[in-house]
Amino acid sequence: MEADVALVSVGRRPRTEDLGLDKVGVTLDSKKRIDVDDHFKTKVGNIYAIGDCIKGPMLAHKAEEEGFHVAEAIAGKHGTINYDAIPSVIYTHPEVASVGKTEEELQAAGVE
């Protein structure tokens, strides 16, 4: 590969330690992410978690959609999230973005 500049990224991880979550009964998985159900509830019924501290990509757009979903659930409404419609962005110059499934994901699903 020839390049003028290379970006090396080692990843990110959630910042959930030292918050006292264990003192209120909120559990973490092996990667220190907060355990939630399909509606973002923790094992403590009135505590929800969204965004970078739960499983899934660490994207602001994902957290925003999850926040709307939780707010709707608290208001007694039924919300849905289409993760395939959430954009993924890499803030470089030039920026790189994608939305939807990859070619490999579509092939694996049998979509032509």
Side-chain angles (χ1 to χ4, degrees), residues 8-111:
V8 178
S9 177
V10 294
R12 302 180 341 187
R13 59 181 175 258
R15 167 72 174 82
T16 55
E17 296 175 350
D18 302 323
L19 298 177
L21 298 173
D22 56 328
K23 294 177 183 174
V24 296
V26 174
T27 58
L28 305 177
D29 67 13
S30 62
K31 294 183 179 181
K32 307 291 185 200
R33 299 174 299 199
I34 297 174
D35 286 318
V36 295
D37 65 15
D38 291 340
H39 301 286
F40 307 101
K41 278 188 175 185
T42 66
K43 296 200 184 291
V44 181
N46 61 341
I47 298 178
Y48 295 78
I50 62 167
D52 293 356
C53 65
I54 66 170
K55 66 181 177 181
M58 293 182 165
L59 300 169
H61 301 88
K62 171 187 165 279
E64 179 182 20
E65 290 298 320
E66 292 169 347
F68 282 123
H69 179 88
V70 168
E72 289 173 347
I74 291 170
K77 299 182 179 185
H78 178 72
T80 60
I81 299 175
N82 180 359
Y83 285 104
D84 289 334
I86 298 173
S88 176
V89 180
I90 302 172
Y91 294 103
T92 56
H93 182 73
E95 290 182 351
V96 178
S98 65
V99 66
K101 295 189 181 294
T102 65
E103 180 179 357
E104 293 80 11
E105 291 170 330
L106 292 170
Q107 288 172 344
V111 177

